[in-house]
Amino acid sequence: MLTTILFDLDGTLIDSPKIIMQGFEAAISKHVDNYQLTHNEKTEILGMTLTMAFNRFQKDENHLQEMINTFRNKTEELTLKMLHSYENAENVIKYLKRQGYKVGIVTSKSRKVVEMNLELVGLNNLFDIIITSDDTTLHKPNPEPLIYATKKLGVEVFETIYIGDHENDIIAGNNALMKTGLMKYSYRFNEALEHQPTYIFDDLNHLKKIFW
């Protein structure tokens, strides 16, 4: 019996992929000479921590931090202008809670940024648990953050589903022995689909037809 629904944040509950990709482009353009990012490189980083995303471009630790700082400055600027939740996000989360499910977030973002994002789009104070990159040593696609979330909630992995938009989400969920869900509006839909998610959701409202 399913008792717990965990969500990724970016590209799943909040429409942030364009903000992230533009921040990534700005950082690479400023700090990496004569490098043109491919579309795959831009979308691939959507499921990564910042260190993972920029690591292969770094010359040293200072260079890495410079890229991350430029990324953060650009995305903070764009977030205030552009960030919103996907349609029905608040409604669906509240519905799932009324149905008795435990609902949480497991993301590769830092807690500071997550809390700012959730408050900005009006999704704060809705979740039973929020696991960020600050909470675990290993990150998706490693299953550690998902397993940590279930332990903190006191539930089993087999009664949990993880819903995301990136192949790292599906891989992490599969490795944690959870059910998995893939959002159809994903920028990485085909790549994630290769890892055989349990469910494919057209949009967030689609969850109401499955979990009732």
Side-chain angles (χ1 to χ4, degrees):
M1 178 181 175
L2 196 71
T3 66
T4 305
I5 300 174
L6 300 176
F7 291 94
D8 174 48
L9 182 61
D10 294 298
T12 302
L13 293 177
I14 61 173
D15 190 4
S16 53
K18 288 182 181 177
I19 294 171
I20 294 169
M21 289 189 287
Q22 286 184 41
F24 189 55
E25 285 183 273
I28 297 302
S29 176
K30 181 174 181 179
H31 299 288
V32 181
D33 294 334
N34 302 316
Y35 193 89
Q36 188 69 37
L37 289 165
T38 66
H39 178 73
N40 181 68
E41 286 174 319
K42 294 174 192 176
T43 60
E44 186 179 30
I45 58 101
L46 294 171
M48 299 180 181
T49 64
L50 293 183
T51 300
M52 291 167 64
F54 288 107
N55 192 51
R56 71 186 181 91
F57 296 100
Q58 71 162 312
K59 297 174 184 175
D60 52 42
E61 285 297 320
N62 287 337
H63 185 231
L64 174 63
Q65 196 56 54
E66 287 172 356
M67 290 188 287
I68 289 175
N69 289 342
T70 297
F71 172 89
R72 284 177 172 157
N73 290 338
K74 183 65 175 179
T75 54
E76 284 177 12
E77 171 196 335
L78 295 173
T79 292
L80 294 174
K81 296 177 183 177
M82 298 170 55
L83 187 66
H84 60 272
S85 61
Y86 286 107
E87 188 176 5
N88 296 312
E90 181 179 3
N91 177 275
V92 169
I93 293 161
K94 288 181 175 178
Y95 165 83
L96 294 172
K97 298 272 288 180
R98 287 196 304 271
Q99 297 304 110
Y101 293 102
K102 293 180 179 179
V103 181
I105 289 174
V106 178
T107 174
S108 296
K109 267 184 170 171
S110 70
R111 184 164 298 275
K112 178 182 176 182
V113 176
V114 169
E115 290 177 352
M116 181 187 73
N117 288 172
L118 291 176
E119 184 171 1
L120 189 62
V121 301
L123 297 181
N124 52 320
N125 302 318
L126 293 179
F127 299 94
D128 296 297
I129 195 167
I130 298 173
I131 302 300
T132 73
S133 62
D134 302 337
D135 297 309
T136 60
T137 303
L138 300 175
H139 309 290
K140 299 179 294 181
N142 189 284
E144 182 178 306
L146 298 179
I147 294 170
Y148 181 67
T150 60
K151 288 181 177 178
K152 293 283 284 185
L153 287 170
V155 300
E156 300 291 341
V157 292
F158 60 78
E159 57 185 298
T160 305
I161 183 171
Y162 185 51
I163 299 170
D165 68 304
H166 193 280
E167 62 266 29
N168 283 354
D169 300 322
I170 308 305
I171 294 168
N174 288 342
N175 288 341
L177 304 181
M178 295 178 176
K179 293 180 174 62
T180 54
L182 173 62
M183 301 309 302
K184 206 166 186 179
Y185 46 68
S186 164
Y187 280 84
R188 301 284 293 182
F189 181 79
N190 290 331
E191 291 85 351
L193 190 62
E194 291 179 7
H195 298 279
Q196 301 180 325
T198 315
Y199 299 97
I200 297 171
F201 299 109
D202 295 329
D203 51 35
L204 289 171
N205 219 39
H206 189 181
L207 273 71
K208 290 184 177 181
K209 299 177 181 178
I210 307 297
F211 307 117
W212 49 275

